[in-house]
Amino acid sequence: VLGKTGVTNITLDIQLYYKNTNGSWVKTNESWQYDVDQRILSAKDTFDAVRGREYKIEVTGTVTKGGVVEEIDGSKIAVCPAN
């Protein structure tokens, strides 16, 4: 997350899901939390993945600038390579 000039805090909660054989997303026990008092937050974590399985992260958080808190969210889907 790259905040604009004047951002003083960024928080993120990241939750990991996988897609089961029925095509439904299943919440895992893997989650990560971040809280930085600056305008840049770079996140990198690892987990034990199953080859060929589809994964999704859902991200929620806040960005604070000038005392105003703005909520942010997003998601990303990827497949663990088969080899």
Side-chain angles (χ1 to χ4, degrees), residues 1-80:
V1 177
L2 175 59
K4 294 182 179 181
T5 301
V7 166
T8 56
N9 179 265
I10 301 171
T11 66
L12 284 184
D13 292 314
I14 302 172
Q15 179 63 54
L16 179 69
Y17 297 81
Y18 71 90
K19 190 177 275 189
N20 67 16
T21 56
N22 295 329
S24 299
W25 289 108
V26 178
K27 185 177 180 178
T28 72
N29 291 328
E30 297 285 350
S31 63
W32 303 274
Q33 292 77 39
Y34 298 90
D35 188 342
V36 297
D37 291 327
Q38 57 189 27
R39 64 181 283 260
I40 299 171
L41 190 158
S42 180
K44 181 179 180 180
D45 273 291
T46 61
F47 63 94
D48 293 326
V50 175
R51 293 183 187 276
R53 180 174 278 176
E54 192 169 8
Y55 290 92
K56 173 175 73 168
I57 58 167
E58 289 189 350
V59 180
T60 58
T62 61
V63 175
T64 304
K65 179 180 177 183
V68 177
V69 179
E70 179 182 341
E71 293 185 1
I72 57 174
D73 60 37
S75 63
K76 178 74 176 178
I77 295 172
V79 176
C80 181

